[in-house]
Amino acid sequence: MTEAYIYDALRTPRGKGRRDGALHEVTSLRLSALTLNAIKDRNNLDGHAVEDVIWGNVTQVMEQGGCLARSAVLASDLDESIPGLAINRFCASGMEAVNLAANQVRGGAGEAYIAGGVEMMGRVAMGSDGAAIAVDPSLAMEKYFVPQGISADIIATEYGFSRDQADALAVESQRRAKLAWDEGRFARSVITVRDQNGLPILDRDEYMRPQTNMQSLGALNPSFQMMGEQMPGFDKVALLKYPHLERIEHIHHAGNSSGIVDGAAAVLIGNAEFGEKWGLKPRARIRATAKIGTDPTIMLTGPVPVTEKILAESGMEIGDIDLFEVNEAFAAVVLRFCQAFDVDFDRVNVNGGSIAMGHPLGATGAMIIGTVLDELERQDKQVGLATLCIASGMGAATVIERV
């Protein structure tokens, strides 16, 4: 099978996903087009150089509706002969775009793709597209649906994680993200978003709160306790599914959960012939990809079984992985991953994660692939694994290896 290589990976800074956020006036279409242009220009590609653009975005309504991927191509400097595919695997949409593109290349369906995603959470509110598992009682009741925050608290309860453990992870995420920015670790990958006049709008992740400490987090009330314990009483739903638990311990809040932000990311993927044609040197090969379905109530445990799956299918062991990116949707997700594989936290999210910098749903998967690649190069390591939990109970993973 043909090898699929990563030739480049870049992202925008993450802007606060609210009206006073720096990127709020930038549409999903424009941010996507800017990102596509950046990867085209940085690699000196002609507009027809790639086979397709595969673009993830989760809330596919209003300006993010229709086939945003095709709209982004038409709004960019890519040739109109390039089609576009918009996909939605919830939080893993950006990663799934990369994985789909890699597997297309590996199967011989074109020499190269641009893959990634976007989410403007301050402009298109999360959940505004509706979701059958949340709104259709015939499915919600049968599958014991609860909101994601309740699911995160179920993980904490089931696997014995305390509020202090979750808060300590959050503080460390903030510390690592600040250090990464201070040391210029994101300099290669983060592009500046500019306005129509070429003036900079944002060149640095805006959501970070490096002053965060255990005391400031300790003052926050649990975000999901009220919806769990009062009407509509999602804790009771969860306990019907997991009767061995006496109660749900609510440990998550805004400070140890991922931030709502705006952002986009793109990865350039191609075969060896593509690199030779355009004078590009591959940075890594995509060694393996995987996805899996999991329990839809606890919902967010997917990184564990999908990692087990990708390791088994690729003939690897956990010790073969040098660095990990485990999306910090909630602190308990990362704590559970480290617990399940007995992984040293020093090898996980070494530059901080979504708790510190935010989680632009459709883009995050592509972002963390780029992040682990940059860090492999910085540390002169070889193999990295990126993985995310996914709404409704799924997991996705990608293993990359430097070349």
Side-chain angles (χ1 to χ4, degrees):
M1 185 174 285
T2 302
E3 292 283 8
Y5 297 102
I6 296 177
Y7 285 95
D8 200 7
L10 56 79
R11 69 173 178 91
T12 70
R14 299 165 170 101
K16 294 177 182 177
R18 58 194 194 202
R19 290 188 177 275
D20 62 348
L23 298 181
H24 183 70
E25 298 305 316
V26 183
T27 66
S28 307
L29 175 63
R30 181 160 174 262
L31 197 68
S32 298
L34 288 172
T35 307
L36 294 178
N37 287 342
I39 209 158
K40 170 188 173 292
D41 295 343
R42 197 158 86 167
N43 293 281
N44 297 311
L45 301 177
D46 285 348
H48 57 76
V50 298
E51 181 76 17
D52 200 355
V53 170
I54 305 178
W55 210 239
N57 63 289
V58 174
T59 310
Q60 297 188 349
V61 294
M62 298 181 290
E63 67 182 56
Q64 291 184 170
C67 182
L68 181 59
R70 175 58 176 167
S71 297
V73 169
L74 295 175
S76 76
D77 296 332
L78 295 177
D79 194 87
E80 65 180 17
S81 65
I82 308 302
L85 173 64
I87 66 164
N88 182 1
R89 199 187 291 278
F90 294 132
C91 298
S93 296
M95 175 176 286
E96 190 63 29
V98 173
N99 291 352
L100 281 172
N103 290 327
Q104 292 278 73
V105 170
R106 294 164 85 182
E111 288 188 345
Y113 288 71
I114 299 174
V118 68
E119 206 77 33
M120 300 301 291
M121 300 181 74
R123 296 178 61 89
V124 184
M126 179 172 57
S128 58
D129 55 342
I133 196 168
V135 302
D136 187 331
S138 68
L139 181 62
M141 294 176 67
E142 178 185 347
K143 297 302 177 183
Y144 299 93
F145 168 79
V146 299
Q148 286 189 29
I150 302 292
S151 299
D153 287 338
I154 296 170
I155 294 173
T157 306
E158 177 73 16
Y159 295 101
F161 304 127
S162 68
R163 167 77 179 256
D164 281 352
Q165 285 177 290
D167 286 357
L169 185 146
V171 171
E172 181 63 7
S173 180
Q174 296 283 353
R175 187 195 71 80
R176 292 181 180 186
K178 181 180 185 302
L179 180 63
W181 272 105
D182 290 348
E183 293 188 351
R185 298 183 191 179
F186 298 132
R188 179 172 185 175
S189 297
V190 177
I191 61 173
T192 299
V193 178
R194 300 180 182 275
D195 65 16
Q196 303 283 8
N197 299 313
L199 299 175
I201 298 174
L202 188 65
D203 62 2
R204 182 183 177 93
D205 291 323
E206 184 182 28
Y207 183 79
M208 293 163 50
R209 294 159 291 183
Q211 73 281 1
T212 299
N213 56 40
M214 292 294 287
Q215 289 70 37
S216 62
L217 294 186
L220 299 177
N221 293 322
S223 295
F224 310 104
Q225 185 168 1
M226 183 174 294
M227 70 170 64
E229 296 180 353
Q230 300 181 19
M231 293 298 292
F234 285 110
D235 282 8
K236 293 180 179 178
V237 176
L239 294 174
L240 287 172
K241 182 74 172 285
Y242 313 111
H244 62 283
L245 301 177
E246 292 184 4
R247 63 189 303 270
I248 306 300
E249 299 293 338
H250 293 284
I251 71 165
H252 289 93
H253 50 75
N256 59 28
S257 307
S258 56
I260 293 175
V261 295
D262 304 324
V267 181
L268 178 62
I269 300 160
N271 60 20
E273 290 74 20
F274 171 79
E276 293 168 2
K277 180 185 295 185
W278 296 98
L280 302 174
K281 182 179 179 181
R283 297 172 63 187
R285 72 181 178 103
I286 296 185
R287 182 163 173 174
T289 68
K291 61 272 188 183
I292 202 167
T294 64
D295 179 343
T297 305
I298 201 168
M299 193 184 309
L300 307 174
T301 55
V304 173
V306 81
T307 296
E308 293 171 341
K309 181 181 181 183
I310 202 170
L311 294 176
E313 291 179 347
S314 58
M316 304 176 70
E317 298 179 353
I318 200 73
D320 296 326
I321 308 297
D322 296 308
L323 294 172
F324 300 87
E325 283 290 321
V326 182
N327 185 40
E328 294 175 355
F330 299 89
V333 174
V334 183
L335 291 170
R336 173 57 188 151
F337 184 89
C338 293
Q339 179 192 66
F341 295 106
D342 194 24
V343 171
D344 188 338
F345 188 52
D346 289 342
R347 294 193 290 143
V348 179
N349 302 346
V350 298
N351 293 315
S354 291
I355 289 174
M357 294 176 284
H359 175 20
L361 305 178
T364 303
M367 286 184 173
I368 64 175
I369 290 172
T371 298
V372 76
L373 174 56
D374 285 345
E375 190 61 19
L376 288 171
E377 292 173 339
R378 189 183 76 86
Q379 293 193 27
D380 194 23
K381 304 285 189 182
Q382 287 301 117
V383 181
L385 181 147
T387 184
L388 303 94
C389 61
I390 309 173
S392 300
M394 294 182 282
T398 307
V399 173
I400 66 171
E401 182 177 21
R402 287 178 62 207
V403 295

